[in-house]
Amino acid sequence: MPNEILASLISTGGTIIVAILAAAISYGVGRGMKTHEWRLGIVREKVSLRHRLYTEFLAEADRLVLQGLEAKTAQASAFHTLTARLSEIELIGSDSVVEAARGVCGSALASHAAADAEPKDAFYDIKRNFVSAVRREISEIEGPS
């Protein structure tokens, strides 16, 4: 009888140990998955925020440049939206994106100067530099695929 009790205790003890190990592994894997999902969510939010901001900034710069072709604006308040977006970019953008954004903003403002100092094609080169900097920044945020 004592051998049967000992065998039963060993069997029960082994089952309990295996159950504890399985629970620990399950917890570790679940926690790792949640952490990974959380990090992916943060990356998704960062990319989404930048996409919205950079698109609005470029749309406003394009609008101002096109408006500058028709008539020059003398009111500084007409540039508020563009400069507000530039301020947001300065807060969250990388150095290369901020520098490129300043170039786009300066070019849009210059398109309303009394005498056009830079040709209209220069704006699109500056804009292309901005887009390239944005693509690099977003690629860095997303990390390796």
Side-chain angles (χ1 to χ4, degrees):
M1 181 90 154
N3 287 338
E4 293 173 3
I5 294 174
L6 185 61
S8 177
L9 286 175
I10 290 173
S11 174
T12 304
T15 303
I16 290 172
I17 290 172
V18 168
I20 291 171
L21 284 174
I25 291 170
S26 176
Y27 174 78
V29 169
R31 182 176 169 96
M33 289 295 290
K34 289 292 183 186
T35 301
H36 182 68
E37 289 173 4
W38 176 71
R39 286 185 180 143
L40 287 176
I42 289 174
V43 167
R44 195 175 309 117
E45 286 179 29
K46 284 182 176 182
V47 170
S48 178
L49 171 70
R50 281 166 171 75
H51 183 266
R52 179 201 53 81
L53 175 60
Y54 298 158
T55 300
E56 289 174 0
F57 175 75
L58 281 179
E60 182 64 15
D62 283 339
R63 186 188 72 76
L64 287 169
V65 167
L66 291 174
Q67 182 183 17
L69 293 174
E70 293 176 0
K72 308 299 181 195
T73 300
Q75 298 175 351
S77 62
F79 304 102
H80 173 71
T81 303
L82 182 68
T83 56
R85 297 292 179 266
L86 177 62
S87 295
E88 286 183 68
I89 290 170
E90 289 174 331
L91 285 175
I92 67 167
S94 65
D95 291 341
S96 61
V97 169
V98 170
E99 286 305 312
R102 286 181 183 150
V104 169
C105 187
S107 183
L109 293 173
S111 71
H112 288 271
D116 285 335
E118 72 181 25
K120 301 301 177 211
D121 291 344
F123 172 74
Y124 296 103
D125 290 336
I126 293 169
K127 181 178 169 181
R128 188 176 325 121
N129 291 339
F130 175 74
V131 170
S132 294
V134 165
R135 286 180 179 161
R136 279 190 307 273
E137 179 184 72
I138 289 176
S139 177
E140 289 172 6
I141 290 171
E142 290 175 337
S145 298

